[in-house]
Amino acid sequence: MRFIGSKTLLLDQIKQVIDEKAPGAESFCDIFSGTATVARYFKQWYQVCSNDLLYFSYVLQRATVENDSVPEFVRLQEETGIEDPIDFFNGREKKDLEELPKERRFFQNTYAPTGGRMYLNDENALRIDFARCTVEDWKTAGLLSEDEYYYLVACIVEGIPFVSNTSGTYGAFHKDWERRSYKRYELYRLAVTHNGKQNRSFNENGADLLKHLKGDILYIDPPYNARQYLSNYHVLETAARYDYPVVRGVTGQRPDEGQKSEFCMKNRAVLAFEELLENAQFKHIILSYSTDGLMTVNEIEKAMKKYGKPETFQIYEIPYRRYKSRKVKETERLRELLFYMEKQVPPCT
């Protein structure tokens, strides 16, 4: 999935730092999980907990981190004869979709030309509506377990960017149709890594959650700049919630109360970071941050040395291409930084 600040290209470097600094670690926490790319990757070796304030992120985590295998949909098959719900949805013809009542077609009525916007073409929006409504109906009828429900919703969400008429985020849509928007929408079949451990996922404020978590490795990948993530991914958030929100403006933004990150506020980012560090009950802490972020390197170093063992503080520099939908020139390149510290052990009382 295209996502601001995605760490797909940095996974090996993060693993190298962990192997060097925490060779005996058994647990890993991804407190700003986003698309769950990092959490899924480290699930190969560790018991993982993941978290994000965005619900669509939680859905992806719940499906691929907390789930320890792809669900089997036994009850659904017994009651409906549907052996593979993803094949079922992806194989629907347009006439099947038209059976969905118009008042239930939120995506078609909101994000497609029918609703005056061009995030998706009408048929793809209707395909999403049909899948989401059907999954909700199956859940209400008791045909899906929690694991199965979140897996299907995640597969629905994951497929949307492949046909979206945007440059990667949903702050705006193109006025002309991009090539990808002509593709037929399909649910994306997500792989699930099995590690046999009690992995957990959360949808909470990270600083508050850390008061209740303990472990070996804490990975922190907060927002870098002033762009609030909900406004950039509101379509995916609505796909996950499917709560028929009252949207506003030309771009159809959903309400964002309680989902604004202080890391996107210049005058609050450092304080928010310090709160995370203070609450963290993890021995090894790794921060991923960009050189064009709101916090300066000096501010980060000062905070980490305040709450960690100063002599363990270390910075790793990694050349990294700015997230854009086009290739960038060499002069536009920036550096991704990995900061490491060992958490200060509280004195015995």
Side-chain angles (χ1 to χ4, degrees):
M1 179 183 291
R2 295 178 294 170
F3 194 75
I4 296 173
S6 174
K7 295 301 177 290
T8 301
L9 301 178
L10 301 181
L11 294 173
D12 290 342
Q13 288 90 341
I14 298 169
K15 180 67 163 59
Q16 288 174 11
V17 173
I18 290 176
D19 288 345
E20 174 189 340
K21 298 295 186 180
E26 297 181 354
S27 61
F28 180 95
C29 177
D30 183 6
I31 201 67
F32 294 96
S33 199
T35 59
T37 297
V38 173
R40 281 185 253 181
Y41 177 77
F42 284 100
K43 190 181 175 186
Q44 299 175 76
W45 302 284
Y46 304 103
Q47 179 181 3
V48 172
C49 68
S50 60
N51 173 69
D52 203 280
L53 197 58
L54 292 180
Y55 183 73
F56 92 84
S57 170
Y58 170 71
V59 167
L60 296 176
Q61 299 164 47
R62 182 64 178 77
T64 60
V65 176
E66 191 161 328
N67 276 0
D68 206 37
S69 61
V70 174
E72 297 182 352
F73 302 99
V74 175
R75 179 77 187 278
L76 180 68
Q77 182 177 350
E78 291 175 346
E79 297 294 329
T80 68
I82 297 172
E83 296 184 3
D84 186 329
I86 294 179
D87 283 347
F88 169 79
F89 287 124
N90 291 346
R92 293 304 88 192
E93 299 298 331
K94 189 173 181 179
K95 61 181 177 61
D96 301 321
L97 312 177
E98 293 294 345
E99 296 177 2
L100 186 69
K102 293 186 183 298
E103 62 271 16
R104 298 190 72 186
R105 303 178 184 184
F106 186 82
F107 263 61
Q108 190 180 66
N109 294 334
T110 308
Y111 302 127
T114 294
R117 299 183 179 92
M118 294 176 61
Y119 287 109
L120 301 152
N121 68 42
D122 274 306
E123 181 176 333
N124 282 337
L126 181 55
R127 287 187 175 279
I128 295 166
D129 285 322
F130 181 85
R132 279 304 280 115
C133 289
T134 302
V135 168
E136 291 299 323
D137 291 345
W138 286 346
K139 181 185 179 185
T140 300
L143 301 181
L144 299 176
S145 67
E146 289 291 298
D147 289 350
E148 292 166 341
Y149 171 77
Y150 282 109
Y151 182 78
L152 286 180
V153 175
C155 292
I156 292 170
V157 171
E158 191 77 27
I160 294 174
F162 291 101
V163 297
S164 294
N165 189 38
T166 70
S167 296
T169 62
Y170 296 84
F173 48 82
H174 293 302
K175 295 180 180 179
D176 297 306
W177 294 107
E178 292 284 301
R179 182 183 303 175
R180 75 173 63 86
S181 62
Y182 291 104
K183 297 178 181 178
R184 174 167 157 162
Y185 168 79
E186 293 186 343
L187 278 70
Y188 185 91
R189 192 182 300 274
L190 288 161
V192 179
T193 298
H194 171 75
N195 69 2
K197 304 180 188 297
Q198 294 296 314
N199 309 292
R200 295 177 294 166
S201 299
F202 300 92
N203 180 212
E204 301 182 24
N205 175 279
D208 293 338
L209 178 62
L210 284 178
K211 296 176 182 178
H212 309 290
L213 297 178
K214 294 182 180 180
D216 297 321
I217 302 166
L218 173 63
Y219 176 69
I220 305 173
D221 180 24
Y224 297 165
N225 53 44
R227 292 177 292 177
Q228 291 287 345
Y229 275 40
L230 179 59
S231 62
N232 279 301
Y233 297 99
H234 64 100
V235 173
L236 303 185
E237 186 77 359
T238 299
R241 293 182 181 274
Y242 212 75
D243 53 354
Y244 296 85
V246 177
V247 302
R248 65 183 189 277
V250 174
T251 59
Q253 292 284 337
R254 59 178 290 122
D256 59 2
E257 290 82 2
Q259 288 185 287
K260 290 185 177 181
S261 173
E262 292 186 335
F263 282 92
C264 297
M265 306 174 190
K266 178 63 177 176
N267 63 339
R268 292 291 303 168
V270 174
L271 293 175
F273 181 50
E274 288 192 352
E275 185 179 9
L276 279 181
L277 296 177
E278 183 177 13
N279 293 347
Q281 302 176 73
F282 290 78
K283 182 177 181 180
H284 304 281
I285 298 180
I286 297 173
L287 167 72
S288 180
Y289 210 68
S290 171
T291 49
D292 68 344
L294 295 180
M295 295 190 295
T296 67
V297 172
N298 288 338
E299 288 172 332
I300 292 171
E301 180 175 356
K302 182 178 179 181
M304 294 187 79
K305 286 183 175 179
K306 176 181 178 181
Y307 292 99
K309 297 179 180 179
E311 68 275 12
T312 66
F313 177 80
Q314 190 168 348
I315 303 176
Y316 300 81
E317 295 188 5
I318 303 170
Y320 188 53
R321 183 168 64 83
R322 183 187 301 272
Y323 176 89
K324 286 186 178 179
S325 59
R326 59 178 176 82
K327 292 184 178 180
V328 297
K329 300 177 182 178
E330 189 67 30
T331 55
E332 292 178 298
R333 291 183 181 271
L334 52 81
R335 289 172 297 147
E336 182 80 5
L337 304 177
L338 293 177
F339 299 82
Y340 170 83
M341 79 169 198
E342 186 176 326
K343 180 71 187 282
Q344 185 72 48
V345 178
C348 297
T349 57

